[in-house]
Amino acid sequence: MISVTGPEAQSVIEANFTPICDTPYSQTAPRKIVYGIWTPTGEDLIVYRSCTDNFEIHCHGGTAASTAILKHLNSDRVQELTPLEFKTISQGLWKSEIFEALSKASTHRTAKILLNQLKLLPENINTILDDVESGHSQAAISKLERICGWSDYGIHLTQPRSVVLCGRPNVGKSSLINAMVGYQRAIVHDAPGTTRDVVSQQTAFDGWPVELTDTAGLRTSANEIEAIGIQKAKAEIESADLKICVFDVAEPWSAEDEATCALVAPDILIHNKCDIISNSGTKGHNISTQSRPEGILTSAETGVGIDQLIERIGQTLIPKTPPPDQAIPISPKQTVRLREVISQLSTAPPNGAEERNSIATWLRSGGNEPQE
Ligand SMILES: Nc1nc2c(ncn2[C@@H]2O[C@H](COP(=O)(O)OP(=O)(O)OP(=O)(O)O)[C@@H](O)[C@H]2O)c(=O)[nH]1
Ligand SMILES: [Mg+2]
């Protein structure tokens, strides 16, 4: 669908569109779906006028028809805009950025939060503008600081948080990933060293987008390919938002386990294969969980502890949620702009009405030159 808007939209449409019915397009009523031909290219399409200066051209499937029409439309009278630029003109930059984020929301929970921000963020910016224009810079700064305090939360409404599972070989990392996502994403085998590469899967826990990553088992004696996998695993662990270290509860807690734990410094610790303890004696070990650091007991085999693990991941990643009326910057760009306003306000002279007005204009336009 191509939107054509602006004072010249009507004459552009009338010059190019011929309805199939006998009535010329200039005489058809608004809010009517009109079928016809785009005369210069011969495309069949539908034109809908939603208000005086705003038309929708609905092309048939694929992108060929819309590309041909856009190419023909581009002239000194018509300028092509990206969806974000188009929304910026009609809704303002702050709102258009939220619309863009909304189109990328992958869960109902994040979509609902972003929908609320469509109202909250512009409303809060207006209150801040009032403060700036009336000389209450300090009040504006504290409101801006409060909004910026939620920037990490806001960014992750569209960017999944990274959760990495690591541990020694054969402890059940891949099996746990499969149990959490609900299908056989990663290869599972009883031979230690099965996972060689970093394997990621996007999912959502409690409505929060998450990227789960499986890694090669950490050990020193390994062949060349496995060693590369282990290096990649360590890099992944370094950069993760949340580190989960998995141990095999059916094996006695060892010096290697202790070293792995120290290397990873996990946010969550898991003792997997607890089904073996409950069938006590399967491996002939005297199993004790008392000598181990505290962790969640799971079984990828039976599903025990998986819900608890998922819940813990959600709580650790998002320990607190904002109050319902809190405005949130939803992208790094928005945070940068808000921080810029804070810095300008902090350095503006106390009685500098002119400086304050220019800050207000800048904030209103979202840090861009005002649109013509
Ligand atoms: N009984 C039992 N067996 C499990 C459990 N989790 C995994 N296994 C078995 O343990 C073996 C290793 O599982 P993987 O998931 O491949 O282990 P991994 O940690 O990914 O191993 P690497 O990729 O080699 O590092 C397989 O035979 C699994 O079936 C569990 O909770 N209980
Ligand atoms: Mg594996």
Side-chain angles (χ1 to χ4, degrees):
M1 193 272 276
I2 303 167
S3 270
V4 185
T5 199
E8 299 226 29
Q10 187 166 351
S11 72
V12 166
I13 300 287
E14 281 173 11
N16 294 295
F17 178 60
T18 313
I20 293 292
C21 62
D22 291 335
T23 325
Y25 191 62
S26 55
Q27 290 168 28
T28 47
R31 298 187 190 283
K32 271 216 162 339
I33 293 166
V34 183
Y35 172 51
I37 304 239
W38 195 256
T39 330
T41 63
E43 295 296 338
D44 287 38
L45 43 78
I46 281 163
V47 170
Y48 175 77
R49 187 206 291 188
S50 52
C51 62
T52 320
D53 288 344
N54 196 46
F55 295 79
E56 294 172 5
I57 305 175
H58 292 262
C59 306
H60 54 80
T63 53
S66 54
T67 309
I69 290 166
L70 271 178
K71 202 167 153 207
H72 165 255
L73 271 175
N74 249 317
S75 65
D76 29 339
R77 281 213 297 168
V78 184
Q79 190 199 345
E80 186 182 337
L81 302 173
T82 63
L84 177 63
E85 290 166 335
F86 187 85
K87 274 259 180 280
T88 305
I89 287 179
S90 55
Q91 308 272 356
L93 186 62
W94 299 98
K95 258 191 172 181
S96 67
E97 286 171 338
I98 302 171
F99 271 117
E100 202 192 15
L102 199 47
S103 73
K104 294 182 189 147
S106 56
T107 71
H108 283 116
R109 183 169 198 167
T110 52
K112 198 172 163 196
I113 298 167
L114 287 163
L115 263 177
N116 285 339
Q117 289 305 315
L118 270 178
K119 189 166 163 281
L120 284 174
L121 189 61
E123 259 177 23
N124 273 260
I125 294 215
N126 281 340
T127 323
I128 293 166
L129 279 166
D130 289 346
D131 287 337
V132 172
E133 283 166 341
S134 57
H136 298 115
S137 297
Q138 211 41 56
I141 291 174
S142 39
K143 282 177 189 143
L144 286 160
E145 292 280 10
R146 209 169 320 129
I147 296 175
C148 288
W150 292 99
S151 68
D152 185 64
Y153 175 90
I155 290 162
H156 286 110
L157 294 172
T158 46
Q159 283 175 20
R161 291 167 199 263
S162 57
V163 174
V164 68
L165 265 87
C166 57
R168 295 176 59 207
N170 217 41
V171 293
K173 302 176 292 297
S174 303
S175 307
L176 282 166
I177 296 255
N178 293 346
M180 282 193 276
V181 297
Y183 76 103
Q184 300 302 304
R185 172 67 182 92
I187 299 172
V188 166
H189 198 272
D190 55 10
T194 300
T195 306
R196 298 284 177 93
D197 213 342
V198 166
V199 180
S200 295
Q201 176 62 45
Q202 282 208 15
T203 185
F205 292 147
D206 204 16
W208 305 116
V210 164
E211 184 170 75
L212 268 183
T213 299
D214 187 13
T215 55
L218 301 167
R219 62 173 165 183
T220 42
S221 57
N223 71 33
E224 205 180 331
I225 300 172
E226 199 182 337
I228 297 169
I230 293 171
Q231 276 317 312
K232 285 177 93 174
K234 286 181 177 164
E236 204 64 33
I237 295 165
E238 278 282 288
S239 63
D241 291 317
L242 186 105
K243 296 176 278 186
I244 300 176
C245 200
V246 185
F247 297 92
D248 183 343
V249 76
E251 296 289 341
W253 183 258
S254 64
E256 283 98 323
D257 288 332
E258 200 65 55
T260 309
C261 206
L263 173 80
V264 175
D267 302 291
I268 298 175
L269 209 136
I270 294 178
H271 300 298
N272 188 39
K273 307 196 185 181
C274 72
D275 55 296
I276 298 184
I277 326 181
S278 41
N279 304 331
S280 62
T282 313
K283 280 206 157 188
H285 291 307
N286 192 6
I287 298 155
S288 155
T289 49
Q290 277 170 7
S291 55
R292 298 171 162 265
E294 209 183 308
I296 303 174
L297 273 180
T298 60
S299 166
E301 193 84 2
T302 64
V304 166
I306 301 296
D307 286 347
Q308 194 194 342
L309 171 60
I310 288 175
E311 199 181 315
R312 179 77 69 82
I313 294 173
Q315 284 165 355
T316 316
L317 284 174
I318 300 109
K320 67 174 180 159
T321 52
D325 57 349
Q326 176 63 52
I328 296 160
I330 53 86
S331 68
K333 276 192 287 182
Q334 290 195 338
T335 306
V336 167
R337 291 204 303 268
L338 294 172
R339 290 233 168 266
E340 177 62 29
V341 179
I342 295 176
S343 111
Q344 288 183 28
L345 282 171
S346 315
T347 51
N351 298 321
E354 205 175 305
E355 283 85 350
R356 283 203 312 273
N357 283 342
S358 96
I359 294 170
T361 309
W362 195 85
L363 179 60
R364 193 173 276 117
S365 66
N368 285 347
E369 290 303 312
Q371 297 278 350
E372 300 213 340

